[in-house]
Amino acid sequence: MSVAVLNPATEEAIAELEQAGVEETDAAVARARDAFPAWRAVAPQDRARLLRRLAALVEEHKDELARIESRNVGKPIAGARGEVGMVAEVFHFYAGAVDKHHGQTIPVAGGVDMTFREPLGVVGLIVPWNFPLNIASWKLGPALACGNTVVLKPAELTPLSALRLAELALDAGIPEGVVNVVVGKGSVVGQRLVEHPDVAKIGFTGSTEVGRSVMEGAAGTIKRVTLELGGKSANVVFADADLERAAASAPYAVFDNAGQDCCARSRILVQESAYDEFIDHLVRATSALRVGDPADESTEMGPLISAQHRETVASFVDDEAEILYRGDAPEGPGFWFPCTLVHASNEDRIAREEVFGPVAAVIPFDGEEEAIRVANDTPYGLSGSIWTRDGARALRVARALETGVISINSNSSVRVSTPFGGMKQSGFGRELGMHGLDGYSEVKHVFYSTER
Ligand code: NDP
């Protein structure tokens, strides 16, 4: 069966792709299994060289990849170019990490004990539609660096950039069978990867609900899993912060990628004594955001991914919502939704569930203790920010927040060289940085007796 791939800004079909089933998935796993012994045996420096070549090819094809991503996801082209830049950086980083990820020698009686970082084998990578190429690279980089072969399943809605990346991997000289992309439904291809006895690990990014089913499915074969799931992160603004700077940055922290970002600071917690002043700045900054044609270089926010998703997002802004600001969005075709700021309590649905759209809940709080309590009162724990001029408070609150990633006087928390991942129901395992390698290798220890 073939399925049309749409441009969410125009609703036009931009490709028609055959959907793989269980048989094609099994064939891809078999190719990856066959390719594994030779790939793991490639000398570290040569594997690094191949990853470096892939990074260079991604850089060379930056405009092409950015255009693919922009048309398929509805991302503003300037942002898409930045994302492709990060993909290249990821491959550069893991090329450099290949020969720096090594074992230890441990003092023991009667001999020498040494550890090795062994690859897992065939790994299944299941990625979502919000940052298709970026999130694929966060998994592919460390998986390949450690000597695994991979089967990558992109989201049904956004398979195009993954297919192009697989071609570039071949052009880079990475052998046939090492990187396999299978386009098909999550409930078919994804599920099969999760249950397949020859798949050693699943690296998953997506919803908490599907993450739960991945964990359940993986139990059958005691498969390793790392899960990067949803978020409902807090952007905590204290009255002593540089309010203008915090407000100027806040819209990008939640409306970037039209809010379809697991790190979105979608709960903006503002200390009551500064609430009115902050809201004035925030509304001004939000109204300046340029929403429109993703192909336009100056656009900052595009449409949502699908009609169905727009319906879900709209359901959070009902007649009872206390709207502080609602922006404009283009009329006509495309899955547009305006930037929306809603005054809320942390008990409201809009503050509890992941909206995954350009809708922020603004929640007042009284003091530091209440800020911590409200920020932590969520099943999620992925990201967040703290804005204050009091350095001791910034660190106190950063340590108290139950979240895997946090930024102080900034909303930026994703970097190639630093660990990324969640606490609580935002998942477990860390991606990026040297920590990312732990999820794609297993420690083996070897005892070598030196007794006569
Ligand atoms: P999903 O969790 O459904 O999709 C993520 C990936 O998992 C996709 O490749 C999907 O394939 C695949 N998948 C779906 N079902 C299964 C399954 N049973 N077994 C294995 N893999 C499966 O996210 P959605 O795209 O449906 O988005 C729903 C919500 O999830 C969003 O509104 C948002 O709240 C959250 N989300 C969070 C993301 C994050 O970055 N943490 C990313 C995306 C979504 P297919 O596309 O073919 O269904």
Side-chain angles (χ1 to χ4, degrees):
M1 196 184 70
S2 71
V3 168
V5 178
L6 300 186
N7 177 341
T10 61
E11 302 182 37
E12 283 163 0
I14 50 174
E16 191 85 25
L17 293 180
E18 280 301 311
Q19 299 288 295
V22 168
E23 216 174 288
E24 289 85 356
T25 310
D26 286 356
V29 173
R31 282 197 301 278
R33 194 190 50 205
D34 292 348
F36 176 59
W39 179 243
R40 77 174 297 182
V42 171
Q45 286 74 9
D46 290 335
R47 202 179 309 135
R49 208 166 286 130
L50 291 169
L51 283 175
R52 216 168 282 127
R53 245 191 247 155
L54 176 57
L57 280 179
V58 169
E59 273 161 356
E60 261 173 49
H61 291 80
K62 194 186 221 174
D63 277 333
E64 178 200 348
L65 289 166
R67 260 197 318 276
I68 293 174
E69 205 78 324
S70 172
R71 288 181 78 212
N72 195 177
V73 190
K75 281 176 192 295
I77 186 71
R81 226 175 272 124
E83 287 176 27
V84 176
M86 187 195 198
V87 172
E89 228 189 290
V90 168
F91 290 124
H92 275 304
F93 179 89
Y94 286 108
V98 171
D99 56 5
K100 294 163 198 74
H101 183 235
H102 33 62
Q104 299 167 310
T105 51
I106 303 171
V108 291
V112 177
D113 204 293
M114 57 197 125
T115 64
F116 292 90
R117 300 282 195 150
E118 304 287 13
L120 304 173
V122 178
V123 298
L125 309 179
I126 302 176
V127 300
W129 43 258
N130 54 344
F131 295 97
L133 204 55
N134 262 62
I135 293 177
S137 74
W138 298 3
K139 300 178 194 316
L140 270 168
L144 296 177
C146 289
N148 303 283
T149 54
V150 311
V151 180
L152 167 65
K153 194 210 91 64
E156 248 180 298
L157 299 171
T158 58
L160 301 180
S161 54
L163 289 168
R164 187 67 186 112
L165 185 66
E167 290 172 356
L168 294 179
L170 280 180
D171 293 347
I174 294 175
E176 198 91 46
V178 172
V179 177
N180 304 272
V181 175
V182 183
V183 174
K185 277 186 167 308
S187 56
V188 179
V189 175
Q191 183 81 23
R192 179 62 184 153
L193 287 174
V194 168
E195 290 171 359
H196 200 298
D198 291 338
V199 173
K201 182 237 162 86
I202 295 289
F204 175 84
T205 299
S207 61
T208 295
E209 192 189 342
V210 175
R212 200 169 285 123
S213 91
V214 167
M215 250 179 119
E216 280 168 16
T221 48
I222 315 289
K223 218 175 242 75
R224 281 86 186 109
V225 285
T226 44
L227 302 175
E228 203 271 275
L229 310 174
K232 195 73 207 176
S233 299
N235 185 358
V236 184
V237 182
F238 287 97
D240 68 352
D242 179 339
L243 295 179
E244 237 177 296
R245 216 178 121 223
S249 173
Y252 298 94
V254 57
F255 302 134
D256 189 41
N257 214 37
Q260 303 165 120
D261 183 346
C262 48
C263 284
R265 276 75 165 165
S266 53
R267 289 184 301 150
I268 305 177
L269 275 50
V270 188
Q271 193 158 14
E272 265 158 12
S273 53
Y275 189 83
D276 291 341
E277 187 185 343
F278 181 80
I279 295 299
D280 280 351
H281 292 309
L282 178 64
V283 167
R284 203 167 319 121
T286 306
S287 62
L289 223 126
R290 289 183 292 264
V291 182
D293 180 4
D296 186 325
E297 289 290 341
S298 66
T299 294
E300 294 174 299
M301 191 180 102
L304 292 168
I305 190 70
S306 67
Q308 193 194 347
H309 188 53
R310 180 171 58 185
E311 253 177 60
T312 310
V313 171
S315 76
F316 284 90
V317 192
D318 56 22
D319 295 342
E320 282 170 25
E322 208 179 308
I323 293 177
L324 296 168
Y325 173 79
R326 191 190 328 241
D328 296 321
E331 307 270 325
F335 310 122
W336 301 96
F337 199 88
C339 295
T340 310
L341 298 168
V342 178
H343 174 91
S345 124
N346 202 50
E347 312 311 315
D348 298 340
R349 177 173 170 244
I350 200 172
R352 302 214 72 79
E353 294 177 26
E354 190 174 37
V355 180
F356 230 58
V359 181
V362 188
I363 304 168
F365 69 87
D366 187 14
E368 186 177 318
E369 265 176 44
E370 192 187 346
I372 294 169
R373 183 184 58 72
V374 174
N376 284 341
D377 182 14
T378 168
Y380 297 110
L382 187 55
S383 183
S385 310
I386 300 159
W387 294 81
T388 174
R389 286 192 171 98
D390 178 339
R393 162 184 278 167
L395 274 183
R396 262 195 321 269
V397 178
R399 296 297 304 275
L401 293 188
E402 297 156 351
T403 178
V405 173
I406 188 95
S407 49
I408 297 169
N409 295 332
S410 159
N411 290 314
S412 150
S413 50
V414 179
R415 285 176 189 79
V416 171
S417 57
T418 58
F420 176 73
M423 291 183 178
K424 304 199 290 192
Q425 292 191 32
S426 288
F428 53 82
R430 292 293 177 266
E431 303 199 289
L432 296 174
M434 294 303 277
H435 290 80
L437 298 160
D438 294 344
Y440 291 93
S441 59
E442 203 124 52
V443 175
K444 178 191 284 172
H445 96 117
V446 175
F447 173 69
Y448 198 142
S449 168
T450 51
E451 285 183 1
R452 292 173 192 278

